[in-house]
Short mmCIF file of all heavy atoms in Angstrom, two decimals:
data_model
loop_
_atom_site.label_atom_id
_atom_site.label_comp_id
_atom_site.label_asym_id
_atom_site.label_seq_id
_atom_site.Cartn_x
_atom_site.Cartn_y
_atom_site.Cartn_z
N MET M 35 135.59 94.86 82.81
CA MET M 35 136.36 95.38 83.95
C MET M 35 135.45 95.51 85.16
O MET M 35 134.42 96.15 85.11
CB MET M 35 136.93 96.76 83.57
CG MET M 35 137.72 97.39 84.68
SD MET M 35 138.67 98.82 84.08
CE MET M 35 137.37 99.96 83.61
N SER M 36 135.83 94.91 86.22
CA SER M 36 135.03 95.01 87.43
C SER M 36 135.93 95.37 88.59
O SER M 36 136.98 94.77 88.77
CB SER M 36 134.32 93.68 87.68
OG SER M 36 133.64 93.76 88.89
N ALA M 37 135.53 96.37 89.37
CA ALA M 37 136.44 96.90 90.38
C ALA M 37 136.38 96.17 91.70
O ALA M 37 137.32 96.20 92.46
CB ALA M 37 136.13 98.36 90.60
N SER M 38 135.26 95.54 92.03
CA SER M 38 135.22 94.96 93.36
C SER M 38 134.56 93.60 93.44
O SER M 38 135.19 92.59 93.17
CB SER M 38 134.59 95.94 94.35
OG SER M 38 133.36 96.36 93.87
N ARG M 39 133.25 93.58 93.75
CA ARG M 39 132.66 92.33 94.27
C ARG M 39 132.41 91.27 93.22
O ARG M 39 132.15 91.53 92.08
CB ARG M 39 131.34 92.67 94.97
CG ARG M 39 131.52 93.74 96.00
CD ARG M 39 130.20 94.12 96.62
NE ARG M 39 130.38 95.27 97.43
CZ ARG M 39 130.09 96.50 97.03
NH1 ARG M 39 129.57 96.70 95.85
NH2 ARG M 39 130.30 97.53 97.80
N ASP M 40 132.47 90.02 93.69
CA ASP M 40 132.13 88.89 92.84
C ASP M 40 130.69 88.51 93.08
O ASP M 40 130.13 88.76 94.13
CB ASP M 40 133.01 87.67 93.17
CG ASP M 40 134.46 87.95 92.86
OD1 ASP M 40 134.71 88.65 91.87
OD2 ASP M 40 135.32 87.50 93.63
N SER M 226 112.05 95.87 92.40
CA SER M 226 113.44 96.29 92.39
C SER M 226 114.00 96.07 90.98
O SER M 226 114.05 94.96 90.48
CB SER M 226 114.23 95.46 93.40
OG SER M 226 115.57 95.86 93.38
N GLN M 229 118.13 96.92 86.52
CA GLN M 229 118.76 97.76 85.50
C GLN M 229 119.06 99.16 86.02
O GLN M 229 119.79 99.92 85.41
CB GLN M 229 117.85 97.88 84.26
CG GLN M 229 117.49 96.55 83.62
CD GLN M 229 118.71 95.76 83.22
OE1 GLN M 229 119.59 96.24 82.54
NE2 GLN M 229 118.78 94.52 83.70
N SER M 230 118.45 99.53 87.14
CA SER M 230 118.67 100.88 87.67
C SER M 230 119.11 100.82 89.12
O SER M 230 118.37 100.35 89.98
CB SER M 230 117.38 101.71 87.56
OG SER M 230 117.52 102.90 88.31
N ILE M 231 120.31 101.33 89.37
CA ILE M 231 120.79 101.31 90.76
C ILE M 231 120.08 102.35 91.60
O ILE M 231 120.20 102.35 92.81
CB ILE M 231 122.32 101.52 90.85
CG1 ILE M 231 122.73 102.83 90.17
CG2 ILE M 231 123.07 100.34 90.30
CD1 ILE M 231 124.18 103.20 90.41
N TRP M 232 119.32 103.22 90.96
CA TRP M 232 118.63 104.28 91.71
C TRP M 232 117.24 103.85 92.17
O TRP M 232 116.54 104.63 92.82
CB TRP M 232 118.54 105.55 90.86
CG TRP M 232 119.87 105.96 90.31
CD1 TRP M 232 120.26 105.91 89.00
CD2 TRP M 232 121.00 106.47 91.04
NE1 TRP M 232 121.56 106.34 88.89
CE2 TRP M 232 122.04 106.70 90.12
CE3 TRP M 232 121.23 106.74 92.39
CZ2 TRP M 232 123.29 107.19 90.50
CZ3 TRP M 232 122.47 107.23 92.76
CH2 TRP M 232 123.48 107.45 91.82
N SER M 233 116.81 102.63 91.82
CA SER M 233 115.43 102.23 92.14
C SER M 233 115.20 102.13 93.66
O SER M 233 114.06 102.18 94.12
CB SER M 233 115.09 100.89 91.47
OG SER M 233 115.95 99.87 91.93
N THR M 234 116.29 102.01 94.44
CA THR M 234 116.15 101.91 95.89
C THR M 234 115.55 103.19 96.48
O THR M 234 115.01 103.18 97.57
CB THR M 234 117.53 101.66 96.52
OG1 THR M 234 118.20 100.71 95.72
CG2 THR M 234 117.43 101.14 97.92
N PHE M 235 115.65 104.28 95.71
CA PHE M 235 115.07 105.53 96.19
C PHE M 235 113.56 105.44 96.38
O PHE M 235 112.99 106.19 97.16
CB PHE M 235 115.41 106.68 95.23
CG PHE M 235 116.74 107.29 95.51
CD1 PHE M 235 117.91 106.64 95.17
CD2 PHE M 235 116.83 108.51 96.16
CE1 PHE M 235 119.14 107.19 95.45
CE2 PHE M 235 118.06 109.07 96.45
CZ PHE M 235 119.22 108.41 96.10
N ARG M 236 112.94 104.49 95.63
CA ARG M 236 111.49 104.32 95.79
C ARG M 236 111.17 103.89 97.23
O ARG M 236 110.16 104.29 97.79
CB ARG M 236 110.98 103.23 94.83
CG ARG M 236 111.03 103.66 93.39
CD ARG M 236 110.73 102.51 92.46
NE ARG M 236 111.44 102.71 91.21
CZ ARG M 236 111.62 101.76 90.30
NH1 ARG M 236 111.15 100.56 90.48
NH2 ARG M 236 112.27 102.03 89.20
N ARG M 238 112.94 104.64 99.90
CA ARG M 238 113.11 105.79 100.78
C ARG M 238 111.91 106.74 100.68
O ARG M 238 111.44 107.27 101.69
CB ARG M 238 114.39 106.54 100.42
CG ARG M 238 114.70 107.64 101.43
CD ARG M 238 116.05 108.24 101.23
NE ARG M 238 116.06 109.23 100.17
CZ ARG M 238 117.01 110.16 100.04
NH1 ARG M 238 118.01 110.20 100.89
NH2 ARG M 238 116.97 111.02 99.06
N GLU M 239 111.39 106.90 99.46
CA GLU M 239 110.24 107.80 99.30
C GLU M 239 109.01 107.27 100.04
O GLU M 239 108.28 108.04 100.67
CB GLU M 239 109.95 108.01 97.81
CG GLU M 239 110.93 109.02 97.20
CD GLU M 239 111.04 108.93 95.69
OE1 GLU M 239 110.11 108.43 95.05
OE2 GLU M 239 112.09 109.35 95.16
N ARG M 242 109.56 107.77 103.76
CA ARG M 242 109.41 109.19 104.11
C ARG M 242 107.94 109.63 104.11
O ARG M 242 107.59 110.59 104.79
CB ARG M 242 110.21 110.06 103.13
CG ARG M 242 111.69 110.03 103.44
CD ARG M 242 112.45 110.99 102.56
NE ARG M 242 113.82 111.13 103.01
CZ ARG M 242 114.74 111.82 102.37
NH1 ARG M 242 114.45 112.44 101.24
NH2 ARG M 242 115.97 111.90 102.85
N ASP M 257 121.11 88.90 92.84
CA ASP M 257 121.51 90.31 92.73
C ASP M 257 122.29 90.80 93.94
O ASP M 257 122.81 91.92 93.92
CB ASP M 257 120.27 91.20 92.55
CG ASP M 257 119.67 91.05 91.16
OD1 ASP M 257 120.37 90.52 90.28
OD2 ASP M 257 118.52 91.46 90.98
N ASP M 258 122.35 90.00 95.00
CA ASP M 258 123.10 90.45 96.19
C ASP M 258 124.60 90.51 95.96
O ASP M 258 125.32 91.12 96.74
CB ASP M 258 122.78 89.54 97.39
CG ASP M 258 121.43 89.85 97.98
OD1 ASP M 258 121.09 91.04 98.07
OD2 ASP M 258 120.70 88.92 98.33
N ARG M 259 125.08 89.84 94.94
CA ARG M 259 126.46 89.98 94.47
C ARG M 259 127.51 89.99 95.58
O ARG M 259 128.34 90.87 95.67
CB ARG M 259 126.60 91.26 93.64
CG ARG M 259 125.63 91.31 92.47
CD ARG M 259 125.97 92.38 91.51
NE ARG M 259 126.11 93.68 92.14
CZ ARG M 259 126.67 94.72 91.56
NH1 ARG M 259 127.17 94.61 90.36
NH2 ARG M 259 126.73 95.87 92.18
N ARG M 261 127.18 90.46 98.74
CA ARG M 261 126.89 91.26 99.93
C ARG M 261 126.07 90.40 100.89
O ARG M 261 124.84 90.55 101.00
CB ARG M 261 126.09 92.50 99.51
CG ARG M 261 126.25 93.67 100.44
CD ARG M 261 125.23 94.71 100.10
NE ARG M 261 125.61 95.59 99.03
CZ ARG M 261 126.41 96.64 99.18
NH1 ARG M 261 126.95 96.89 100.32
NH2 ARG M 261 126.67 97.42 98.17
N ALA M 277 121.96 93.37 102.31
CA ALA M 277 121.37 94.57 101.71
C ALA M 277 120.17 95.14 102.49
O ALA M 277 120.15 96.35 102.75
CB ALA M 277 120.99 94.30 100.26
N PRO M 278 119.19 94.32 102.89
CA PRO M 278 118.05 94.91 103.61
C PRO M 278 118.47 95.61 104.90
O PRO M 278 117.91 96.64 105.27
CB PRO M 278 117.16 93.71 103.92
CG PRO M 278 117.59 92.64 102.99
CD PRO M 278 119.03 92.86 102.71
N LEU M 280 121.57 96.84 105.62
CA LEU M 280 122.35 98.04 105.31
C LEU M 280 121.41 99.18 104.91
O LEU M 280 121.59 100.32 105.32
CB LEU M 280 123.30 97.76 104.14
CG LEU M 280 124.64 97.17 104.51
CD1 LEU M 280 125.38 96.71 103.26
CD2 LEU M 280 125.48 98.22 105.24
N LEU M 281 120.42 98.82 104.12
CA LEU M 281 119.45 99.82 103.68
C LEU M 281 118.73 100.43 104.88
O LEU M 281 118.57 101.65 104.98
CB LEU M 281 118.44 99.15 102.74
CG LEU M 281 117.44 100.05 102.07
CD1 LEU M 281 118.14 101.05 101.15
CD2 LEU M 281 116.45 99.23 101.26
N LEU M 284 121.02 102.74 106.60
CA LEU M 284 121.23 103.96 105.81
C LEU M 284 120.04 104.91 105.94
O LEU M 284 120.21 106.12 106.05
CB LEU M 284 121.40 103.60 104.33
CG LEU M 284 122.77 103.11 103.90
CD1 LEU M 284 122.70 102.43 102.54
CD2 LEU M 284 123.73 104.29 103.84
N LEU M 285 118.84 104.33 105.93
CA LEU M 285 117.64 105.17 105.99
C LEU M 285 117.34 105.62 107.42
O LEU M 285 116.52 106.52 107.62
CB LEU M 285 116.43 104.43 105.41
CG LEU M 285 116.54 104.00 103.94
CD1 LEU M 285 115.25 103.36 103.47
CD2 LEU M 285 116.88 105.19 103.05
N VAL M 315 122.71 107.43 112.45
CA VAL M 315 124.10 107.24 112.86
C VAL M 315 125.01 107.70 111.72
O VAL M 315 124.59 107.79 110.57
CB VAL M 315 124.42 105.76 113.21
CG1 VAL M 315 123.69 105.33 114.45
CG2 VAL M 315 124.10 104.85 112.03
N PRO M 317 128.19 107.52 108.98
CA PRO M 317 128.54 106.48 108.01
C PRO M 317 129.38 105.36 108.61
O PRO M 317 129.21 104.18 108.25
CB PRO M 317 129.33 107.24 106.95
CG PRO M 317 128.93 108.65 107.07
CD PRO M 317 128.57 108.86 108.51
N GLU M 318 130.28 105.72 109.54
CA GLU M 318 131.19 104.70 110.09
C GLU M 318 130.46 103.69 110.98
O GLU M 318 130.95 102.60 111.24
CB GLU M 318 132.36 105.37 110.85
CG GLU M 318 132.00 106.12 112.11
CD GLU M 318 131.28 107.45 111.89
OE1 GLU M 318 131.24 107.97 110.75
OE2 GLU M 318 130.72 107.97 112.86
N ARG M 320 127.26 102.62 110.33
CA ARG M 320 126.17 101.95 109.62
C ARG M 320 126.40 100.46 109.43
O ARG M 320 125.48 99.66 109.58
CB ARG M 320 125.93 102.63 108.25
CG ARG M 320 125.25 103.98 108.40
CD ARG M 320 125.15 104.70 107.08
NE ARG M 320 124.71 106.08 107.29
CZ ARG M 320 125.06 107.10 106.53
NH1 ARG M 320 125.84 106.91 105.48
NH2 ARG M 320 124.63 108.31 106.79
N PHE D 67 134.16 102.71 99.66
CA PHE D 67 133.70 101.61 98.81
C PHE D 67 134.86 100.75 98.32
O PHE D 67 134.66 99.87 97.50
CB PHE D 67 132.90 102.17 97.62
CG PHE D 67 131.63 102.87 98.03
CD1 PHE D 67 131.64 104.19 98.45
CD2 PHE D 67 130.42 102.20 98.03
CE1 PHE D 67 130.48 104.83 98.83
CE2 PHE D 67 129.25 102.84 98.42
CZ PHE D 67 129.28 104.16 98.83
N ILE D 69 137.28 101.17 96.26
CA ILE D 69 137.52 101.11 94.81
C ILE D 69 138.92 101.65 94.53
O ILE D 69 139.31 102.70 95.05
CB ILE D 69 136.44 101.89 94.04
CG1 ILE D 69 135.11 101.14 94.21
CG2 ILE D 69 136.81 102.03 92.57
CD1 ILE D 69 133.92 101.86 93.69
N ARG D 70 139.66 100.89 93.75
CA ARG D 70 141.06 101.26 93.53
C ARG D 70 141.16 102.56 92.73
O ARG D 70 140.33 102.83 91.85
CB ARG D 70 141.79 100.13 92.80
CG ARG D 70 141.89 98.85 93.65
CD ARG D 70 143.08 98.00 93.27
NE ARG D 70 143.11 97.69 91.86
CZ ARG D 70 142.52 96.61 91.32
NH1 ARG D 70 141.85 95.77 92.08
NH2 ARG D 70 142.61 96.37 90.03
N PHE D 73 140.68 103.18 88.90
CA PHE D 73 139.35 103.13 88.30
C PHE D 73 138.63 104.48 88.39
O PHE D 73 137.60 104.68 87.75
CB PHE D 73 138.48 102.08 89.02
CG PHE D 73 138.90 100.67 88.74
CD1 PHE D 73 139.75 100.00 89.59
CD2 PHE D 73 138.44 100.01 87.61
CE1 PHE D 73 140.14 98.69 89.34
CE2 PHE D 73 138.81 98.70 87.34
CZ PHE D 73 139.68 98.04 88.20
N ARG D 75 138.17 107.48 87.31
CA ARG D 75 138.27 108.48 86.24
C ARG D 75 136.89 109.12 86.07
O ARG D 75 135.87 108.50 86.40
CB ARG D 75 138.66 107.82 84.92
CG ARG D 75 139.99 107.06 84.95
CD ARG D 75 140.26 106.50 83.56
NE ARG D 75 139.07 105.93 82.96
CZ ARG D 75 138.69 104.66 83.10
NH1 ARG D 75 139.41 103.83 83.83
NH2 ARG D 75 137.58 104.22 82.54
N LEU D 80 129.37 103.83 86.85
CA LEU D 80 129.15 103.41 88.24
C LEU D 80 128.89 101.90 88.34
O LEU D 80 129.39 101.24 89.25
CB LEU D 80 127.97 104.18 88.85
CG LEU D 80 128.09 105.71 88.84
CD1 LEU D 80 126.83 106.34 89.44
CD2 LEU D 80 129.32 106.17 89.61
N VAL D 81 128.10 101.38 87.40
CA VAL D 81 127.74 99.96 87.47
C VAL D 81 128.78 99.10 86.76
O VAL D 81 129.36 98.19 87.35
CB VAL D 81 126.33 99.73 86.87
CG1 VAL D 81 125.98 98.24 86.88
CG2 VAL D 81 125.29 100.53 87.64
N ASP D 82 129.01 99.41 85.51
CA ASP D 82 129.85 98.51 84.69
C ASP D 82 131.32 98.56 85.08
O ASP D 82 132.01 97.55 85.01
CB ASP D 82 129.70 98.88 83.21
CG ASP D 82 128.28 98.63 82.73
OD1 ASP D 82 127.60 97.81 83.36
OD2 ASP D 82 127.85 99.28 81.76
N ASP D 83 131.82 99.74 85.47
CA ASP D 83 133.24 99.84 85.78
C ASP D 83 133.52 99.76 87.28
O ASP D 83 134.51 99.17 87.69
CB ASP D 83 133.80 101.18 85.24
CG ASP D 83 133.69 101.27 83.73
OD1 ASP D 83 133.64 100.20 83.09
OD2 ASP D 83 133.62 102.39 83.19
N LEU D 84 132.67 100.38 88.08
CA LEU D 84 132.95 100.45 89.52
C LEU D 84 132.18 99.39 90.32
O LEU D 84 132.40 99.24 91.52
CB LEU D 84 132.60 101.85 90.06
CG LEU D 84 133.29 103.01 89.34
CD1 LEU D 84 132.95 104.33 90.00
CD2 LEU D 84 134.81 102.82 89.31
N ASP D 85 131.26 98.70 89.63
CA ASP D 85 130.54 97.59 90.27
C ASP D 85 129.67 98.05 91.44
O ASP D 85 129.49 97.32 92.40
CB ASP D 85 131.55 96.53 90.75
CG ASP D 85 130.91 95.15 90.85
OD1 ASP D 85 129.90 94.92 90.16
OD2 ASP D 85 131.40 94.32 91.62
N LEU D 86 129.16 99.26 91.36
CA LEU D 86 128.26 99.72 92.44
C LEU D 86 126.88 99.09 92.26
O LEU D 86 126.45 98.84 91.14
CB LEU D 86 128.12 101.25 92.41
CG LEU D 86 129.37 102.10 92.63
CD1 LEU D 86 128.98 103.56 92.87
CD2 LEU D 86 130.22 101.60 93.78
N ASP D 87 126.20 98.85 93.36
CA ASP D 87 124.82 98.35 93.29
C ASP D 87 123.88 99.37 93.93
O ASP D 87 124.29 100.48 94.29
CB ASP D 87 124.71 96.97 93.93
CG ASP D 87 125.04 96.97 95.42
OD1 ASP D 87 125.11 98.07 96.02
OD2 ASP D 87 125.24 95.89 95.99
N SER D 88 122.61 98.97 94.08
CA SER D 88 121.61 99.94 94.52
C SER D 88 121.85 100.40 95.97
O SER D 88 121.53 101.53 96.31
CB SER D 88 120.21 99.36 94.37
OG SER D 88 120.12 98.15 95.08
N VAL D 89 122.41 99.52 96.79
CA VAL D 89 122.70 99.93 98.17
C VAL D 89 123.86 100.94 98.18
O VAL D 89 123.81 101.96 98.88
CB VAL D 89 123.02 98.72 99.07
CG1 VAL D 89 123.43 99.17 100.47
CG2 VAL D 89 121.82 97.80 99.16
N ASP D 90 124.87 100.68 97.35
CA ASP D 90 125.97 101.65 97.23
C ASP D 90 125.44 103.00 96.75
O ASP D 90 125.87 104.06 97.20
CB ASP D 90 127.02 101.16 96.22
CG ASP D 90 127.72 99.90 96.66
OD1 ASP D 90 128.00 99.79 97.86
OD2 ASP D 90 128.01 99.05 95.80
N ALA D 91 124.51 102.92 95.78
CA ALA D 91 124.00 104.15 95.17
C ALA D 91 123.29 105.01 96.21
O ALA D 91 123.51 106.23 96.27
CB ALA D 91 123.05 103.81 94.03
N ILE D 92 122.48 104.38 97.04
CA ILE D 92 121.76 105.19 98.03
C ILE D 92 122.72 105.65 99.12
O ILE D 92 122.61 106.77 99.65
CB ILE D 92 120.52 104.45 98.58
CG1 ILE D 92 119.53 105.48 99.14
CG2 ILE D 92 120.86 103.44 99.63
CD1 ILE D 92 118.12 104.99 99.24
N ASP D 93 123.70 104.83 99.42
CA ASP D 93 124.73 105.20 100.40
C ASP D 93 125.48 106.45 99.91
O ASP D 93 125.60 107.45 100.63
CB ASP D 93 125.69 104.01 100.58
CG ASP D 93 126.67 104.20 101.72
OD1 ASP D 93 126.74 105.32 102.26
OD2 ASP D 93 127.38 103.23 102.07
N SER D 95 124.54 108.58 97.67
CA SER D 95 123.62 109.73 97.57
C SER D 95 123.39 110.37 98.93
O SER D 95 123.36 111.60 99.05
CB SER D 95 122.27 109.29 97.01
OG SER D 95 122.46 108.56 95.86
N ILE D 96 123.21 109.53 99.95
CA ILE D 96 122.97 110.08 101.30
C ILE D 96 124.21 110.85 101.77
O ILE D 96 124.09 111.94 102.34
CB ILE D 96 122.58 108.95 102.28
CG1 ILE D 96 121.15 108.47 101.96
CG2 ILE D 96 122.64 109.42 103.73
CD1 ILE D 96 120.72 107.23 102.71
N ARG D 97 125.39 110.30 101.49
CA ARG D 97 126.62 111.02 101.86
C ARG D 97 126.69 112.36 101.13
O ARG D 97 127.06 113.38 101.70
CB ARG D 97 127.85 110.18 101.50
CG ARG D 97 128.07 108.99 102.42
CD ARG D 97 129.14 108.08 101.83
NE ARG D 97 129.13 106.76 102.42
CZ ARG D 97 129.88 106.38 103.47
NH1 ARG D 97 130.70 107.22 104.02
NH2 ARG D 97 129.80 105.16 103.94
N GLU D 99 124.13 114.07 99.97
CA GLU D 99 123.09 114.94 100.54
C GLU D 99 123.59 115.57 101.84
O GLU D 99 123.39 116.76 102.09
CB GLU D 99 121.81 114.15 100.79
CG GLU D 99 121.06 113.81 99.53
CD GLU D 99 119.79 113.01 99.78
OE1 GLU D 99 119.69 112.35 100.85
OE2 GLU D 99 118.91 113.02 98.92
N GLU D 100 124.21 114.73 102.68
CA GLU D 100 124.72 115.24 103.97
C GLU D 100 125.81 116.29 103.74
O GLU D 100 125.91 117.28 104.46
CB GLU D 100 125.28 114.08 104.80
CG GLU D 100 124.17 113.19 105.36
CD GLU D 100 124.66 111.86 105.95
OE1 GLU D 100 125.87 111.54 105.83
OE2 GLU D 100 123.84 111.13 106.53
N SER D 105 118.77 117.56 98.23
CA SER D 105 117.93 116.39 98.42
C SER D 105 117.65 115.77 97.05
O SER D 105 117.24 116.48 96.12
CB SER D 105 116.63 116.81 99.10
OG SER D 105 115.85 115.67 99.34
N PHE D 106 117.90 114.49 96.92
CA PHE D 106 117.78 113.83 95.61
C PHE D 106 116.54 112.96 95.54
O PHE D 106 116.09 112.42 96.53
CB PHE D 106 119.00 112.95 95.34
CG PHE D 106 120.32 113.66 95.46
CD1 PHE D 106 121.43 113.01 95.98
CD2 PHE D 106 120.45 114.98 95.06
CE1 PHE D 106 122.64 113.66 96.09
CE2 PHE D 106 121.66 115.64 95.17
CZ PHE D 106 122.75 114.98 95.70
N LYS D 107 116.04 112.82 94.30
CA LYS D 107 114.93 111.89 94.04
C LYS D 107 115.33 110.97 92.91
O LYS D 107 116.20 111.32 92.11
CB LYS D 107 113.67 112.68 93.65
CG LYS D 107 113.05 113.42 94.80
CD LYS D 107 111.75 114.04 94.39
CE LYS D 107 111.07 114.67 95.59
NZ LYS D 107 109.91 115.46 95.21
N GLU D 108 114.61 109.85 92.83
CA GLU D 108 114.97 108.87 91.80
C GLU D 108 114.92 109.49 90.40
O GLU D 108 115.80 109.26 89.59
CB GLU D 108 114.02 107.67 91.88
CG GLU D 108 114.44 106.56 90.94
CD GLU D 108 113.38 105.49 90.75
OE1 GLU D 108 112.32 105.58 91.38
OE2 GLU D 108 113.62 104.58 89.95
N GLU D 109 113.88 110.31 90.14
CA GLU D 109 113.74 110.89 88.80
C GLU D 109 114.95 111.74 88.43
O GLU D 109 115.37 111.78 87.28
CB GLU D 109 112.49 111.78 88.70
CG GLU D 109 111.20 111.10 89.09
CD GLU D 109 110.93 111.21 90.58
OE1 GLU D 109 110.54 112.28 91.07
OE2 GLU D 109 111.16 110.19 91.27
N LEU D 111 117.96 111.28 89.36
CA LEU D 111 119.22 110.52 89.28
C LEU D 111 119.24 109.49 88.15
O LEU D 111 120.29 108.92 87.86
CB LEU D 111 119.45 109.80 90.62
CG LEU D 111 119.52 110.72 91.84
CD1 LEU D 111 119.39 109.92 93.12
CD2 LEU D 111 120.84 111.49 91.85
N LYS D 112 118.08 109.26 87.54
CA LYS D 112 117.96 108.17 86.56
C LYS D 112 119.01 108.24 85.46
O LYS D 112 119.49 107.22 84.98
CB LYS D 112 116.56 108.19 85.93
CG LYS D 112 115.59 107.31 86.68
CD LYS D 112 114.23 107.35 86.01
CE LYS D 112 113.25 106.46 86.76
NZ LYS D 112 111.88 106.65 86.30
N ILE D 114 121.99 109.40 85.57
CA ILE D 114 123.39 109.38 86.01
C ILE D 114 124.01 108.00 85.76
O ILE D 114 123.50 106.99 86.23
CB ILE D 114 123.49 109.75 87.51
CG1 ILE D 114 123.18 111.23 87.67
CG2 ILE D 114 124.86 109.41 88.08
CD1 ILE D 114 123.23 111.74 89.08
#
Side-chain angles (χ1 to χ4, degrees):
Chain M
M35 179 167 65
S36 175
S38 53
R39 306 176 189 99
D40 295 324
S226 179
Q229 302 303 308
S230 168
I231 56 171
W232 308 110
S233 61
T234 318
F235 274 75
R236 291 172 210 165
R238 188 171 81 161
E239 282 160 23
R242 283 186 170 175
D257 287 344
D258 284 320
R259 303 193 307 166
R261 206 191 276 280
L280 273 170
L281 186 63
L284 280 164
L285 299 184
V315 293
E318 66 288 346
R320 286 174 190 149
Chain D
F67 296 83
I69 292 172
R70 295 207 306 271
F73 289 95
R75 301 182 317 271
L80 303 178
V81 177
D82 295 336
D83 298 335
L84 305 183
D85 205 23
L86 298 193
D87 63 14
S88 56
V89 175
D90 295 322
I92 202 159
D93 189 350
S95 309
I96 288 171
R97 287 169 197 267
E99 287 179 338
E100 287 168 353
S105 183
F106 306 144
K107 288 186 175 171
E108 186 193 358
E109 305 87 76
L111 301 166
K112 268 181 180 169
I114 289 179

